[in-house]
Amino acid sequence: MRFNAKDLALLAKRPSGCFDKEGKLKICRVVGDEKLIEPRERWCRLKGNLLFLMKNKSSEASEVVILERCWVVEFRSKTDVSIILKFQSGEPDLYLEAASKPDCEAWAVALGEANSEGLRNKIQQLQRLIMEIKEERAADEARQFLPSSQVDSLREPQFTSIQRIANEPKLEFSLACKGLVAATRDRKLNTFIQVSVVHPAEHILTRYSSTEIVEGTRDPLFLTGVTFPPEYPIYEETKIKLTVYDVKDKSQGTVRTSVLPDHKEPRADVGRSFLGYTTFTVGDLVKSKEQQLTLTLRTSDGGKTVGTIEVNLVKMGEFEDGEMGHITTDAQDQKFLCFLPLKSCSCGFLSATCAHNTENLERMTDRRAKEECALVHECTAPEGLSGKDNLPSLNAVLKNPICKLYRFPTSDNKWMRIREQMAETTLSFHVPKELINLHIKEDMRRNQELKDLGELAPHWDNMRKSVIAHCDQMLSMYQDTLAELGKHTGSSFKSSCSKGEKTLEFIPINLHLQRMHVHSPRLKDALYDVITVGAPAAHFQGFKNGGLRKLLSKFEAERRNTGYQCIYYSPENTAKAKEVLSNINHLQPLISSHADLLLNSASQHSPDSLKNSLKMLSEKTELFVHAFKDQLVRSALLALYTARPGCVLKKPAVPRNSAEEGDDLKHQDHPSQIKRQDSIPHHSEYDEEEWDRVWANVGKSLNCVIAMVDRLLEKDNSSKIKEGESDPSAADCKVLHAGGDWYEQLYPLVITLKDCMGEVVTRAKQSMAFVLLQELACGLPQCLMLTLRRDIVFSQALAGLVCGFIIKLHTSLHDQGFLQQLHTVGLLVQYEGLLSTYSEEAGMLEDMAVGISDLQKVMFKVIEAKSEDFLPIITGRREHYVIEVQLPAKMFELLPQEIKEGKLLRMYPVLFNVGINEQQTLAERFGDTTLQENINQENLELLKEYYNLFTEKMPPDCLPHFQEQNDLKGLLENLHQNIQAKRRKNVEIMWLAATICRKLNGVRFTCCKSAKDRTSMSVTLEQCSILRDEHQLHKDFFIRALDCMRSRQTQGALNESDDPETGCLTDNKPTSRHFYPVALLLVSSHLLVVWLILSLALLLAKYQ
């Protein structure tokens, strides 16, 4: 790019008012984390996208920076006053340091808006503002010259809204056809209905949804209904168009409902033919006496009648009679075409993978039919379940619901209605952002603690500098990620297309709520919830070296052999060090505040207040003292002393972490063995018993305070008895004098307590920080990368857990048995994994297993919401998190007293995985399934532990539908036998674990790689099995109901090559992707042999 140097020089010398911003900044170039030179002060002037750098205000510009194809990185800490300009061209970054934080923020905003993209956004904003002003002026001018009647007509038309229950669909109806006319007399029709909506204000036809395809009859009765969600703009004046099509080419298995515009007839080559259409208004249906319309279907020219169509208004809670004989007698004749499931693969037909998954998943149906085990109803729909009280808090979590309506026959020839709902959750982004913010604060606090270690020997000091440099780099990465997530707009979930994006790696994949609301003729309404989410895994980092389970084990083995460079502390000891630091930061301010309250009570001469303050001070101080009652603190203090320059030991000893680690340290060339002859007064001698004395001084100081308070109260009581009925004015004077006397006697003791506590805190903080220094130094940079990977996986798992807990709490607020179980035992959270143990998915399973196991350190707390913001609040640190769930006041009053008082609620996560795809076939025949077997066995023990706690603490009548012949103990034993059997693709494990979870009032999760194909197949099979076992679904309609729920066609106007979840356009490709081009393989005979073996294996897996 060429510039005129003279023009630029003239522009730089223009008066100050001509520039967008100017001022002094310290500037240098940065490569990576290293500054090429020390920052130098420059006078900076910003004009448009040009940044002029000058030595002083009157000198010429020494450099011009063009602010294009660059972005600003602003540091979020309160003390940092620097920003960095990063360039896409790869040239060194530009470091800019301001004089103050406000000046730094002002420069960051100005530089961010200086490029052409920022200018373009400003222009667009101004254009929109101008258009709005013009429209308002034009409307005002038109009204000045029109009569009042015409002015009223110009206003927006008023439409009649449909009155429905809050949070319920506005309109739902079912469809059936009779007497359809075929082109040829002998042909049996394969029909479906396409539903379109004509909005009264716009008069534009919009395709809305479609039914399933009913095959082989001229009188089809469609099981899939039509539902309009609460937020959909539908009125009584809205017209609905119903178009009936006949699918001719059944081999295509597709109906192109979004290929052609609405006003054109479909061509014959698209696999369907137009039969007829009809229209009606919503008002006609709502106001009809029987809430049913019988409409005539006509051809496009409106002349020929080709049959009739029945539209029945559906209301959940009311029963539908009639025509059961019609559907049951024709059940054998009416067939159903199966399409892709709700979260389907991108091909236009059911792939070989989906068909293979279906074959494996449906094995469990035989077992369910035999045992017919009753499942626990998620909710019996008590009064107020859908009321307005719980809507704000639930709507803060769920958004963009997609509803589907079905009607299925029962075994006694009655109709039951099913409403299926899939909803996104705002927690997909809220929880990770809160968690990253906590990580940033925790890491900044840790870095400061490392800096506060004081003077260290050169070896340890260099180690500390290296650790802090790496930690600062990771901290910057967390800050950049949080900044990028703050800019995110659009959908509230991460699609599978984005699972490899770095900026979204903390976000769970496809986190959704899958809810089935069942209304049966003879049973109470029931809700069944399943949370679907992609397996928590670090997709961006990849799985070349395995997942967390393998990486952590390998890292721990390597860390034991670090030699003399650092001291090895076990993971238990490092976790203990973090716990001690957390207790210090929590308890020290509490003790100080209670000590101040004690002095305040003494100054006021209030005996009762003095007793309460002393009680609280004693409790917190005892906890404080107990926190340091550990050998780790003693050994860490000794190790820290040996790391000081010029250390001299009274008793030469190598610092030990524990008895079992002493042998390892004897073989290390530890720096503690090095002694210096010079003596530094601060480190002249080290007494190993000094810590015991310092630690014990806190308890002794507290005992002195307690003794003094007891003495003062005793004197006060005796003086009151002696005075009796003395002069009141004299008594008041004595009280005032005694109050001052109390304060004067307690003040030095309290100060001594604080001083002793401060000395303990200083020593303990430094020693525990030294332990953390060893943990980081022994494994740089792998330690930090593993921490990052674990944080990523945990963030994804936690977002799903918080969503599941909130949904479960809302649906079970009226279930006193569940609430008692929640605060007495805890909540069972069962994850159903469908990952294979082959290739990358084995690494995903390892990540997922560690992430779900880490959820055990999460506790929940329910609090009353103080504002309209009902999103959960996350507090804590990496080893211990507390999630505060906010409820409105009316809902909060329904909770037991224990939960209202803030009792922490425990989580018991368990994971059972069974691979079901072709890759699992390869793993079982040519690979290893030990990982899956170990995970299932470990989590079975955790499930048994929860069951034992449940039976010990809960009464036996708390389980609804408890059957002696098929009780929980029997189910657990059956699950144990199936896990020990080690059968291939034993899907029995999945349904047994799911049944136990529902019986124990747990939360269900279903996961696969992306929460699409395998997840949807599993969820729909589980839903239909529940309908059969719990709600008497007609046995002849099980497969049809399953296919109906899996039908992608019923979602609406979707092209078969458009993936609704990914938003990607894909071509129709053959399912057999293992037939590679033979010409490329003929280059080598070895490649040809490998190709033949792989092809044969995949064919065997397909047709097994």
Side-chain angles (χ1 to χ4, degrees):
M1 189 179 294
R2 296 181 179 179
F3 296 96
N4 190 320
K6 292 183 179 180
D7 292 341
L8 289 177
L10 289 173
L11 181 60
K13 289 184 177 181
R14 297 185 67 182
S16 298
C18 300
F19 294 96
D20 300 329
K21 186 170 180 58
E22 61 179 335
K24 288 183 180 180
L25 292 173
K26 290 184 179 180
I27 295 177
C28 70
R29 291 286 181 175
V30 179
V31 176
D33 292 335
E34 298 182 1
K35 299 173 182 176
L36 298 182
I37 59 174
E38 285 299 318
R40 297 178 180 177
E41 190 175 88
R42 290 288 184 266
W43 185 264
C44 301
R45 286 181 164 180
L46 179 64
K47 180 64 177 178
N49 61 350
L50 299 177
L51 178 64
F52 297 97
L53 307 181
M54 310 162 69
K55 289 186 177 180
N56 52 62
K57 192 172 182 180
S58 59
S59 65
E60 295 184 355
S62 59
E63 186 179 355
V64 180
V65 181
I66 303 172
L67 303 176
E68 294 294 342
R69 301 183 67 186
C70 65
W71 65 95
V72 179
V73 178
E74 180 186 359
F75 297 100
R76 300 285 175 160
S77 63
K78 295 181 179 180
T79 57
D80 206 326
V81 292
S82 60
I83 55 179
I84 290 180
L85 277 176
K86 291 183 176 290
F87 299 89
Q88 294 182 8
S89 59
E91 61 180 295
D93 301 338
L94 187 64
Y95 174 87
L96 305 148
E97 183 178 329
S100 63
K101 189 62 177 177
D103 194 26
C104 176
E105 293 175 352
W107 272 107
V109 173
L111 293 172
E113 297 177 351
N115 54 19
S116 57
E117 184 179 354
L119 183 61
R120 193 179 300 112
N121 293 334
K122 286 184 179 180
I123 293 173
Q124 291 177 354
Q125 184 178 1
L126 291 173
Q127 286 176 342
R128 287 194 298 268
L129 183 61
I130 291 171
M131 291 299 296
E132 291 175 1
I133 294 174
K134 285 183 177 180
E135 290 175 358
E136 291 178 1
R137 288 182 178 178
D140 293 339
E141 291 174 359
R143 288 188 177 92
Q144 293 177 3
F145 300 99
L146 291 175
S148 58
S149 59
Q150 294 186 21
V151 171
D152 295 336
S153 65
L154 287 176
R155 295 174 181 167
E156 293 184 2
Q158 298 296 323
F159 301 114
T160 308
S161 60
I162 302 173
Q163 300 296 328
R164 302 291 284 181
I165 302 174
N167 211 36
E168 290 288 312
K170 283 189 176 180
L171 180 70
E172 293 178 315
F173 57 85
S174 59
L175 298 168
C177 294
K178 287 186 178 180
L180 296 179
V181 178
T184 58
R185 181 174 300 178
D186 298 333
R187 172 174 169 76
K188 289 187 176 180
L189 300 174
N190 309 316
T191 53
F192 78 98
I193 299 176
Q194 180 176 285
V195 182
S196 304
V197 178
V198 182
H199 297 280
E202 301 174 355
H203 301 288
I204 298 175
L205 188 68
T206 304
R207 291 178 180 175
Y208 183 74
S209 67
S210 299
T211 65
E212 78 277 14
I213 297 177
V214 179
E215 184 182 353
T217 179
R218 299 190 179 188
D219 300 323
L221 192 148
F222 300 98
L223 301 183
T224 304
V226 181
T227 179
F228 292 89
E231 67 276 4
Y232 193 85
I234 189 169
Y235 309 95
E236 290 187 5
E237 293 80 8
T238 303
K239 283 188 178 181
I240 295 179
K241 178 182 178 182
L242 306 176
T243 309
V244 182
Y245 291 99
D246 173 27
V247 179
K248 292 183 178 180
D249 190 358
K250 294 178 287 183
S251 63
Q252 294 289 332
T254 61
V255 180
R256 301 173 184 261
T257 59
S258 66
V259 175
L260 301 175
D262 290 318
H263 61 277
K264 292 185 179 180
E265 287 288 332
R267 302 191 310 272
D269 60 351
V270 297
R272 69 178 186 179
S273 64
F274 172 80
L275 288 181
Y277 80 96
T278 186
T279 61
F280 68 93
T281 63
V282 174
D284 295 339
L285 178 61
V286 174
K287 295 177 181 178
S288 60
K289 185 174 295 186
E290 298 179 356
Q291 295 189 334
Q292 176 180 344
L293 296 177
T294 303
L295 308 171
T296 302
L297 289 171
R298 297 187 179 276
T299 55
S300 56
D301 56 5
K304 184 179 179 181
T305 301
V306 293
T308 59
I309 184 169
E310 291 184 356
V311 184
N312 291 280
L313 187 66
V314 173
K315 292 183 180 180
M316 295 293 281
E318 297 180 3
F319 302 110
E320 180 180 356
D321 299 323
E323 305 247 356
M324 286 305 300
H326 163 69
I327 188 169
T328 52
T329 54
D330 293 345
Q332 301 300 325
D333 297 332
Q334 294 191 13
K335 301 178 182 178
F336 185 76
L337 288 180
C338 178
F339 293 88
L340 293 176
L342 259 174
K343 294 181 177 178
S344 58
C345 57
S346 56
C347 300
F349 43 86
L350 192 62
S351 64
T353 303
C354 292
H356 189 69
N357 294 346
T358 308
E359 178 184 354
N360 288 286
L361 283 169
E362 289 177 0
R363 291 179 190 172
M364 70 174 70
T365 59
D366 298 333
R367 173 74 176 178
R368 294 195 181 198
K370 291 178 183 177
E371 296 192 3
E372 294 184 356
C373 173
L375 300 176
V376 178
H377 289 315
E378 290 288 334
C379 180
T380 55
E383 293 183 7
L385 177 66
S386 300
K388 296 181 179 180
D389 293 341
N390 65 342
L391 290 184
S393 56
L394 202 56
N395 289 339
V397 176
L398 301 177
K399 63 182 297 187
N400 299 332
I402 298 175
C403 298
K404 295 173 67 176
L405 180 70
Y406 309 101
R407 55 174 176 174
F408 297 142
T410 60
S411 56
D412 56 353
N413 293 339
K414 297 290 184 182
W415 285 111
M416 65 175 167
R417 296 195 182 97
I418 296 92
R419 182 186 297 145
E420 189 183 17
Q421 177 182 339
M422 180 178 72
E424 305 170 15
T425 172
T426 56
L427 300 176
S428 295
F429 282 82
H430 173 75
V431 170
K433 287 193 288 187
E434 290 284 309
L435 204 57
I436 294 173
N437 195 30
L438 284 180
H439 293 334
I440 292 173
K441 293 179 180 178
E442 181 180 351
D443 291 349
M444 291 177 66
R445 187 165 55 246
R446 177 197 59 198
N447 291 357
Q448 187 60 44
E449 289 166 353
L450 293 177
K451 294 176 183 177
D452 293 340
L453 275 175
E455 187 179 3
L456 298 176
H459 167 73
W460 299 105
D461 193 48
N462 292 334
M463 181 184 296
R464 173 172 59 176
K465 290 178 181 178
S466 176
V467 167
I468 291 176
H470 281 85
C471 289
D472 286 340
Q473 186 177 0
M474 295 299 296
L475 182 61
S476 176
M477 187 182 301
Y478 281 104
Q479 291 172 336
D480 293 345
T481 301
L482 183 60
E484 290 298 324
L485 290 179
K487 300 175 184 177
H488 177 81
T489 58
S491 63
S492 56
F493 74 99
K494 182 176 79 173
S495 65
S496 61
C497 279
S498 305
K499 63 174 171 279
E501 291 187 15
K502 178 173 176 55
T503 56
L504 300 177
E505 56 185 347
F506 284 85
I507 310 301
I509 303 171
N510 277 337
L511 178 58
H512 287 84
L513 165 68
Q514 303 280 350
R515 168 169 288 181
M516 182 174 68
H517 180 193
V518 184
H519 178 72
S520 302
R522 297 181 181 179
L523 299 173
K524 292 183 178 180
D525 285 13
L527 292 178
Y528 300 95
D529 291 338
V530 177
I531 308 296
T532 60
V533 64
H539 293 275
F540 176 78
Q541 297 188 20
F543 309 95
K544 183 178 180 181
N545 299 317
L548 274 173
R549 193 179 174 101
K550 181 186 295 183
L551 293 173
L552 289 171
S553 176
K554 181 180 178 181
F555 172 75
E556 189 59 32
E558 292 176 350
R559 205 160 69 91
R560 290 176 178 270
N561 304 317
T562 52
Y564 68 91
Q565 295 181 357
C566 59
I567 306 171
Y568 171 76
Y569 288 94
S570 66
E572 293 76 15
N573 281 333
T574 54
K576 179 67 177 177
K578 294 175 183 177
E579 183 182 353
V580 170
L581 287 172
S582 177
N583 289 335
I584 291 173
N585 296 328
H586 175 67
L587 292 174
Q588 185 184 11
L590 287 178
I591 294 173
S592 297
S593 62
H594 288 309
D596 294 338
L597 288 175
L598 182 71
L599 291 177
N600 187 38
S601 301
S603 63
Q604 296 177 0
H605 197 269
S606 173
D608 294 337
S609 178
L610 193 66
K611 290 179 183 178
N612 294 333
S613 300
L614 180 63
K615 180 182 178 183
M616 296 300 297
L617 178 63
S618 302
E619 291 177 356
K620 298 303 178 184
T621 307
E622 287 176 6
L623 291 175
F624 179 82
V625 173
H626 183 73
F628 304 110
K629 201 173 184 178
D630 196 282
Q631 179 64 26
L632 176 64
V633 181
R634 182 195 300 271
S635 63
L637 280 169
L638 178 58
L640 176 59
Y641 173 75
T642 62
R644 302 286 190 194
C647 64
V648 176
L649 296 177
K650 271 189 176 179
K651 301 175 182 179
V654 176
R656 294 182 302 153
N657 304 321
S658 62
E660 60 183 4
E661 294 168 332
D663 295 335
D664 294 337
L665 292 173
K666 288 177 183 178
H667 303 290
Q668 297 180 7
D669 184 13
H670 195 272
S672 64
Q673 298 170 356
I674 303 174
K675 302 180 183 178
R676 295 176 182 248
Q677 299 301 323
D678 56 328
S679 177
I680 301 176
H682 183 60
H683 306 131
S684 58
E685 289 187 351
Y686 179 78
D687 185 358
E688 293 185 43
E689 298 179 356
E690 183 181 1
W691 166 250
D692 292 335
R693 292 193 295 269
V694 172
W695 173 64
N697 284 340
V698 177
K700 293 178 180 177
S701 300
L702 177 64
N703 292 334
C704 292
V705 173
I706 295 174
M708 178 58 69
V709 170
D710 291 341
R711 192 179 306 119
L712 292 175
L713 293 175
E714 185 179 354
K715 287 183 179 180
D716 182 67
N717 292 332
S718 60
S719 62
K720 286 182 179 179
I721 295 173
K722 290 180 180 180
E723 289 173 5
E725 300 177 354
S726 61
D727 186 15
S729 59
D732 292 342
C733 294
K734 290 182 180 180
V735 166
L736 292 174
H737 181 268
D741 188 45
W742 282 14
Y743 181 85
E744 291 173 359
Q745 295 186 56
L746 280 175
Y747 180 77
L749 299 178
V750 170
I751 294 300
T752 303
L753 175 63
K754 287 185 177 182
D755 292 341
C756 294
M757 185 179 63
E759 188 175 358
V760 170
V761 166
T762 301
R763 292 172 181 252
K765 267 192 173 183
Q766 290 183 345
S767 63
M768 295 299 98
F770 189 72
V771 174
L772 298 185
L773 175 63
Q774 306 309 309
E775 178 200 24
L776 295 169
C778 287
L780 285 178
Q782 293 88 348
C783 178
L784 293 177
M785 294 306 298
L786 281 176
T787 301
L788 173 63
R789 188 183 188 104
R790 199 164 187 171
D791 288 344
I792 290 170
V793 175
F794 179 75
S795 172
Q796 298 178 24
L798 182 63
L801 175 65
V802 176
C803 176
F805 178 86
I806 293 177
I807 297 301
K808 182 67 178 178
L809 183 63
H810 278 76
T811 55
S812 305
L813 272 175
H814 297 266
D815 187 349
Q816 295 302 319
F818 166 77
L819 295 177
Q820 181 185 355
Q821 175 186 348
L822 184 61
H823 71 79
T824 305
V825 184
L827 181 65
L828 178 66
V829 184
Q830 186 252 326
Y831 288 81
E832 176 183 298
L834 303 172
L835 294 171
S836 68
T837 55
Y838 182 80
S839 187
E840 286 191 346
E841 290 199 6
M844 296 178 199
L845 182 56
E846 290 181 349
D847 276 358
M848 182 180 178
V850 174
I852 292 174
S853 177
D854 284 346
L855 294 177
Q856 297 179 26
K857 57 192 178 186
V858 177
M859 309 283 277
F860 280 81
K861 181 180 179 181
V862 185
I863 61 175
E864 184 178 353
K866 303 300 182 183
S867 65
E868 296 299 321
D869 184 9
F870 298 104
L871 290 175
I873 302 170
I874 305 178
T875 58
R877 53 185 173 83
R878 281 187 175 90
E879 302 300 325
H880 178 70
Y881 290 101
V882 176
I883 316 297
E884 296 182 354
V885 177
Q886 304 185 80
L887 290 182
K890 292 184 179 179
M891 298 177 66
F892 187 75
E893 291 300 322
L894 300 175
L895 298 174
Q897 190 62 32
E898 293 85 352
I899 298 180
K900 288 194 288 187
E901 290 175 355
K903 184 176 182 179
L904 295 180
L905 311 175
R906 287 198 61 185
M907 299 294 109
Y908 292 85
V910 292
L911 165 66
F912 294 95
N913 186 85
V914 178
I916 59 173
N917 60 355
E918 291 107 327
Q919 288 188 341
Q920 184 63 21
T921 303
L922 293 176
E924 290 173 346
R925 298 200 175 201
F926 309 110
D928 186 15
T929 61
T930 307
L931 173 63
Q932 176 176 285
E933 294 166 3
N934 292 340
I935 289 174
N936 290 342
Q937 184 62 44
E938 292 167 6
N939 285 272
L940 175 63
E941 299 303 320
L942 294 175
L943 184 59
K944 287 181 178 179
E945 178 186 343
Y946 181 84
Y947 170 72
N948 292 333
L949 284 173
F950 183 89
T951 53
E952 290 175 8
K953 298 183 178 181
M954 295 295 293
D957 58 347
C958 64
L959 284 177
H961 305 285
F962 191 85
Q963 299 178 353
E964 295 180 1
Q965 58 199 15
N966 194 20
D967 58 2
L968 278 169
K969 190 174 182 180
L971 290 171
L972 281 169
E973 183 61 30
N974 199 353
L975 178 61
H976 175 75
Q977 293 174 2
N978 276 275
I979 291 175
Q980 294 295 325
K982 299 181 181 179
R983 287 165 43 199
R984 293 179 177 177
K985 297 185 180 179
N986 189 1
V987 293
E988 189 82 4
I989 294 174
M990 293 192 301
W991 104 257
L992 284 169
T995 304
I996 294 171
C997 175
R998 291 191 183 279
K999 276 182 167 291
L1000 289 173
N1001 297 320
V1003 178
R1004 287 265 298 113
F1005 284 80
T1006 301
C1007 311
C1008 67
K1009 180 178 180 180
S1010 300
K1012 294 199 298 181
D1013 299 344
R1014 284 168 278 180
T1015 297
S1016 58
M1017 303 294 268
S1018 175
V1019 169
T1020 50
L1021 179 60
E1022 180 181 1
Q1023 289 176 342
C1024 288
S1025 300
I1026 291 173
L1027 293 177
R1028 180 194 61 197
D1029 300 336
E1030 293 294 315
H1031 300 277
Q1032 303 175 358
L1033 174 66
H1034 198 287
K1035 61 180 181 179
D1036 294 334
F1037 280 83
F1038 179 85
I1039 298 300
R1040 184 171 172 184
L1042 183 64
D1043 292 340
C1044 194
M1045 285 187 170
R1046 290 177 177 175
S1047 172
R1048 179 182 177 183
Q1049 179 61 29
T1050 58
Q1051 294 180 72
L1054 291 173
N1055 192 335
E1056 71 276 8
S1057 60
D1058 293 334
D1059 189 339
E1061 185 271 322
T1062 62
C1064 302
L1065 186 65
T1066 57
D1067 299 326
N1068 291 337
K1069 298 180 181 179
T1071 58
S1072 301
R1073 300 179 180 179
H1074 52 277
F1075 292 105
Y1076 309 106
V1078 181
L1080 297 177
L1081 296 171
L1082 290 178
V1083 177
S1084 170
S1085 59
H1086 298 288
L1087 290 176
L1088 181 61
V1089 172
V1090 172
W1091 170 72
L1092 289 173
I1093 293 174
L1094 290 176
S1095 299
L1096 180 61
L1098 290 172
L1099 284 172
L1100 289 174
K1102 178 179 178 182
Y1103 296 107
Q1104 185 181 10

